[in-house]
Amino acid sequence: MSEIAPVVDAAHAAPFESTDDYREAIERMRAAAAAYYAGEDIVMDDATYDALFARVAATEAVHPDWAAADSPTEVVAAGGGVVGDVVHSTPMLSLGNVFDEDELRVWAARLEKVIGRPVAGFTVEPKIDGMAIAARYVDGTLVQVATRGDGQAGEDVTAQARAVAGLPGELRRPVTVEVRGEVFMTDDDFTKANELRVAHGGAPFANPRNAAAGTLRAQDRAYVAPLSFLAYAVHDLPEGEGLTHSAAMAAIADLGVTTTAGSPAGMPQCTTVDELVTAVTALGALRGKLGFDIDGAVVKADAPADRDAAGSSSRAPRWATAFKFPADTRTSTLTAIEVQVGRTGVITPVAVIAPVQVGGVVVTSATLHNFDDLVRRDVRVGDTVFVRRAGEVIPEITGAKLDERAADAVAFTPPEFCPRCGGEIDRSQKRWRCMQGRACGAGESLAYFAARDSMDIEGLGDKVIRLLIAAGMVTDPADLFTLDVEAVAQLDRMGATSAGKLLANIEASKAQPMSRVLTGLGVRMTGRSMSRRLARHFGTMDELTGATVEQLQNVEGVGPERATTIAAELVELAPIIAKLAGHGVNMVEPGIVPASERAAAAATDPSERLPLHNEDGSQMIVVVTGSVPGLTRNEGNEAVERLGGKSSGSVSKKTQLVVVGDGAGSKAAKAEELGLRIMPSDRFAALLAAHDAGESPTLDDF
Ligand code: IVH
């Protein structure tokens, strides 16, 4: 994968140009669905499947005559060879998808139109990323469990399902009922399952969904891997006629079955679409903290009258939809495995991958955790790998697609010696460490600190640094400020004069601006100009180290991946920063008012407000699309910053202003669709000119 993989945008998907391409997409989707339901290694990641689905649907809208009867838009994705012989009491349907707030609003409006009245109420529950089953209880005893299969008939998995937590063998009362829901593996159970599998000589599962599907369908296994169940629907509940969904789920929870409503995600009830948006957003924020994988929220009409009035298509009910979260697992190609040595000497393998969007962020590198894990997973350069990013955490590689591995792929060999200093490695713990510890990287970090672009300390070259480290006088940059002139004078070929000069230069460097201190600290993913930008934005080291990942993204050129890394690096560097400050090193950028003071001033005093400040002093989110007269693209973005705004690359509901110039394309169209504030680029240029001329223009003047 050399390009950035597509992001799903169902509303703007491009139709296929030929019937051949359309058919081929359907075939690829069928193959992927078959592997998915069989619990085999994933052939296609969810986001790619959803993107193809959107294109197939878009094609059918433009060319209804091409529509194939077996199109995935018409039928529940079939499990190919895995369809079994248990016929479902009523078809097990799939769900339609929405991908953002706007699409959710469109869905709700359409539902109201179909039923001809406002929806009485909605429920919101987690969309569990597992395997759907139907479980039949007769007089309170579990008698049959079947997978979804092709929606009409599924495979009998009764024996395997008996060990599933949350699906009791006996209900609390002798009721005859069918419960439907998802069998899945919790994160903890996934770890246990993989340990068991590896201990039995197998390759680890790539992800919990795969593990759940594989375990549920495996008939003769030498070990039992733990599975869980959460119900999301019930059929034929005695006296269940007329019950709302929420009441019916409460009734089966009362019989002893675990339900989505009873999970930590809960099942909020909403009456308005605004409430739905809040509930879905809240669930999105919980993702990654639930202890099991969810890939979205399921929104359902709660009242049976609304459901009956809405009905279902052959594929999915109209009274429910899945609000899909950005895929947290994608596939990409592993281009290299780098071995990094951290400041404290910790040695870690890091995956370099072809750029791919995961969880809404472009990811180019991911952690491989530790060498034991890497050897166990047997991930090799050239492999197609699964890249997972849950929430704000550092992306990780969870496994490789073994069926696509090149025959000549070479297994990775962990280093024998520290790749930085060549010293011995301490392998006594999972996290390997250079025996030299902090001293291992000291030469490199001191040279960086003293360099011309950083603290510019004359006389502190590589040779002197080596002598200082060898004499045990320094292990980190802060130690430079505790050097004793007489001890330094004793070093090989030093003498009193050179030592005196060196210490005077070190002392003088304490007055360097904060941007140079920051450059000298060598924060990963920042260089000289980014350090300068960070310093100029925050003004003081305290403000910078106290900034959240979100606040860091207010700096031009800092996206989510860089912001996460910078925040983590600053935490790691905190002890050294504190030591430097303690020795009197300047931690302020001259001439810059700290970000918090600027915001506070703009909030209280309108004359302090820049044209692109909001009333509360925060930065307006601005997208520039097309050309701005007299400015390059980069200058256009810088102009936004200069005027107090935050420049963003994509238009969404959150965008507050869209500057539209010649050559603007879909972003301008989307801005209009969303009803956003739009400003022609020549007026933006005039606003900038007025601001640069020292006037105090406001946005409304233009
Ligand atoms: S309701 C007729 N609720 O998602 C409505 N489905 O993509 C049937 N799923 O086939 C589905 N969590 O396997 C529903 N809380 C939930 C769900 C859920 C996961 C699965 C289910 C369904 C698939 C559709």
Side-chain angles (χ1 to χ4, degrees):
M1 226 186 278
S2 60
E3 288 175 338
I4 294 172
V7 194
V8 180
D9 185 351
H12 302 99
F16 289 108
E17 286 181 2
S18 71
T19 41
D20 281 354
D21 291 348
Y22 166 76
R23 282 289 340 162
E24 193 200 316
I26 290 180
E27 286 314 314
R28 282 180 61 203
M29 292 173 74
R30 282 165 64 86
Y36 183 86
Y37 288 106
E40 289 163 6
D41 271 344
I42 300 169
V43 180
M44 188 184 284
D45 59 54
D46 281 2
T48 308
Y49 187 92
D50 289 340
L52 276 180
F53 188 98
R55 291 195 65 186
V56 164
T59 311
E60 289 163 359
V62 190
H63 303 286
D65 50 318
W66 292 6
D70 62 349
S71 163
T73 62
E74 288 301 313
V75 293
V76 173
V82 303
V83 176
D85 49 12
V86 181
V87 176
H88 298 307
S89 55
T90 56
M92 287 187 81
L93 298 181
S94 186
L95 285 170
N97 291 325
V98 297
F99 294 92
D100 58 28
E101 184 187 327
D102 299 328
E103 290 182 18
L104 179 62
R105 288 182 188 279
V106 169
W107 171 79
R110 205 171 286 157
L111 175 57
E112 299 216 329
K113 211 166 153 200
V114 170
I115 67 174
R117 57 169 186 265
V119 176
F122 298 98
T123 55
V124 176
E125 60 192 282
K127 183 169 189 306
I128 297 143
D129 200 8
M131 214 180 175
I133 56 137
R136 281 210 72 76
Y137 286 90
V138 174
D139 296 331
T141 302
L142 180 64
V143 293
Q144 188 168 55
V145 182
T147 63
R148 186 172 73 167
D150 66 355
Q152 304 295 328
E155 202 181 348
D156 192 321
V157 289
T158 315
Q160 300 90 305
R162 291 203 181 279
V164 173
L167 195 64
E170 293 290 333
L171 296 177
R172 291 190 190 128
R173 284 185 289 284
V175 177
T176 297
V177 70
E178 181 174 317
V179 173
R180 292 181 178 183
E182 204 85 349
V183 169
F184 63 100
M185 211 175 258
T186 65
D187 296 343
D188 286 349
D189 288 347
F190 174 59
T191 308
K192 274 183 229 148
N194 268 349
E195 280 167 8
L196 277 169
R197 198 161 143 96
V198 172
H200 283 81
F205 290 113
N207 55 51
R209 206 215 82 90
N210 245 12
T215 306
L216 186 65
R217 299 191 58 252
Q219 290 185 348
D220 306 306
R221 197 150 272 178
Y223 55 92
V224 182
L227 291 172
S228 302
F229 175 75
L230 288 175
Y232 54 65
V234 54
H235 290 248
D236 309 325
L237 182 70
E239 290 160 40
E241 197 89 341
L243 281 189
T244 58
H245 172 57
S246 41
M249 297 316 289
I252 60 161
D254 200 39
L255 291 172
V257 178
T258 47
T259 66
T260 51
S263 79
M267 192 166 74
Q269 284 167 257
C270 305
T271 42
T272 66
V273 185
D274 285 340
E275 285 172 16
L276 271 183
V277 171
T278 307
V280 165
T281 311
L283 186 52
L286 265 187
R287 182 190 194 186
K289 298 181 194 129
L290 291 170
F292 55 87
D293 276 358
I294 64 173
D295 56 352
V298 182
V299 177
K300 299 174 181 173
D302 200 18
D306 288 347
R307 292 180 172 213
D308 291 346
S312 301
S313 75
S314 56
R315 182 179 175 275
R318 288 187 199 92
W319 43 262
T321 193
F323 184 106
K324 293 288 272 293
F325 297 145
D328 73 351
T329 300
R330 303 289 319 259
T331 53
S332 181
T333 307
L334 182 66
T335 53
I337 297 175
E338 286 179 353
V339 178
Q340 288 184 355
V341 190
R343 287 188 194 85
T344 56
V346 173
I347 306 174
T348 39
V350 174
V352 181
I353 53 170
V356 61
Q357 277 230 346
V358 195
V361 171
V362 177
V363 173
T364 54
S365 72
T367 176
L368 283 157
H369 296 292
N370 54 59
F371 291 100
D372 285 352
D373 203 50
L374 170 55
V375 168
R376 191 159 54 88
R377 292 187 185 279
D378 188 19
V379 173
R380 303 183 183 188
V381 172
D383 278 352
T384 299
V385 288
F386 297 101
V387 189
R388 179 166 191 264
R389 178 182 179 273
E392 301 252 292
V393 302
I394 305 266
E396 59 172 348
I397 302 292
T398 55
K401 268 163 84 170
L402 302 179
D403 55 337
E404 281 186 15
R405 170 170 290 166
D408 56 356
V410 182
F412 176 77
T413 318
E416 278 191 37
F417 298 100
C418 170
R420 184 161 60 192
C421 72
E424 297 285 328
I425 296 176
D426 173 3
R427 296 183 176 77
S428 60
Q429 305 203 343
K430 257 193 189 165
R431 275 151 62 99
W432 292 6
R433 204 178 267 273
C434 170
M435 290 283 203
Q436 302 282 326
R438 278 183 188 279
C440 162
E444 219 170 83
S445 54
L446 282 160
Y448 202 74
F449 189 76
R452 174 95 55 88
D453 283 342
S454 312
M455 299 296 270
D456 195 15
I457 305 174
E458 227 189 292
L460 191 58
D462 287 349
K463 212 181 70 199
V464 178
I465 289 174
R466 262 200 308 275
L467 289 172
L468 290 170
I469 294 172
M473 294 181 188
V474 291
T475 48
D476 67 46
D479 293 338
L480 291 172
F481 300 95
T482 61
L483 287 175
D484 172 50
V485 70
E486 274 159 30
V488 175
Q490 300 301 313
L491 294 174
D492 190 24
R493 274 184 264 164
M494 241 318 180
T497 321
S498 311
K501 272 193 194 156
L502 176 62
L503 263 68
N505 292 342
I506 291 175
E507 183 64 24
S509 76
K510 285 183 182 173
Q512 290 284 25
M514 167 194 167
S515 53
R516 282 179 171 268
V517 182
L518 197 57
T519 308
L521 288 171
V523 177
R524 266 195 304 134
M525 292 188 88
T526 71
R528 187 180 55 159
S529 64
M530 181 50 76
S531 297
R532 212 182 285 153
R533 243 184 258 171
L534 287 165
R536 293 184 68 83
H537 181 90
F538 289 100
T540 71
M541 195 66 91
D542 276 351
E543 293 242 343
L544 172 65
T545 52
T548 61
V549 170
E550 207 173 34
Q551 287 166 338
L552 284 167
Q553 289 177 59
N554 286 334
V555 179
E556 151 97 76
V558 180
E561 193 183 11
R562 200 191 291 251
T564 311
T565 304
I566 294 175
E569 286 275 293
L570 289 173
V571 168
E572 206 187 310
L573 284 164
I576 295 188
I577 295 175
K579 248 166 98 180
L580 288 169
H583 293 313
V585 174
N586 170 48
M587 294 287 164
V588 173
E589 190 67 0
I592 301 294
V593 180
S596 63
E597 280 176 36
R598 278 201 314 271
T604 50
D605 179 358
S607 71
E608 292 287 337
R609 227 174 266 160
L610 289 170
L612 298 181
H613 271 149
N614 291 307
E615 281 189 7
D616 63 357
S618 62
Q619 296 176 288
M620 219 176 243
I621 302 171
V622 184
V623 174
V624 180
T625 173
S627 61
V628 179
L631 302 182
T632 64
R633 200 178 141 133
N634 207 18
E635 285 166 350
N637 291 331
E638 274 171 18
V640 169
E641 305 277 323
R642 213 155 67 233
L643 292 170
K646 171 171 165 44
S647 125
S648 158
S650 58
V651 172
S652 74
K653 262 249 136 87
K654 285 197 198 146
T655 311
Q656 294 171 290
L657 179 72
V658 182
V659 177
V660 177
D662 281 352
S666 62
K667 285 184 199 170
K670 186 161 184 197
E672 271 189 37
E673 226 170 86
L674 293 175
L676 302 174
R677 181 167 185 170
I678 292 175
M679 184 178 206
S681 65
D682 52 346
R683 277 199 252 154
F684 179 75
L687 169 70
L688 180 67
H691 173 75
D692 287 349
E695 297 165 25
S696 300
T698 69
L699 190 55
D700 294 330
D701 300 338
F702 288 80

